[in-house]
Amino acid sequence: MLRASAAAERIGVPSVSILGSAFVQQAAVVTQGLGVPLAIALYPGAPMLDGDEVLRAKVAENVLPDIIRGLTSSLDGAPAETPAEPEPGSIVFSGP
């Protein structure tokens, strides 16, 4: 979904991607790789696990406001800040 949104945004068509909360970190990485700021509407939890009433409530309270905000607000067009590369030989991870 993010790649489709990026393609739409590149040609000037506003878009909002709807994601389950479990995929937020993955979306951040993919969005950075795509190089296009994208609007995201977040569904708290997993929609397939919620009943009809809970689904409707979460969409009305969480997803719909994010969609409206994403389609009516301008996104920050500044490039994502790229972290500095570690120096050769530096320790970049240490386990417990």
Side-chain angles (χ1 to χ4, degrees):
M1 190 61 122
L2 294 170
R3 286 176 179 83
S5 290
E9 292 285 346
R10 282 189 187 106
I11 62 170
V13 177
S15 67
V16 177
S17 295
I18 302 172
L19 302 173
S21 57
F23 298 99
V24 171
Q25 289 180 334
Q26 180 182 2
V29 171
V30 171
T31 299
Q32 184 177 7
L34 292 171
V36 178
L38 298 174
I40 294 177
L42 185 62
Y43 183 92
M48 67 286 265
L49 299 177
D50 293 333
D52 290 346
E53 289 181 32
V54 173
L55 180 87
R56 284 187 187 97
K58 286 183 177 181
V59 168
E61 295 169 11
N62 301 102
V63 179
L64 187 56
D66 286 348
I67 292 172
I68 293 169
R69 190 178 317 83
L71 294 175
T72 59
S73 302
S74 62
L75 295 172
D76 180 31
E81 189 174 319
T82 305
E85 286 291 316
E87 295 296 319
S90 65
I91 297 173
V92 295
F93 176 79
S94 177

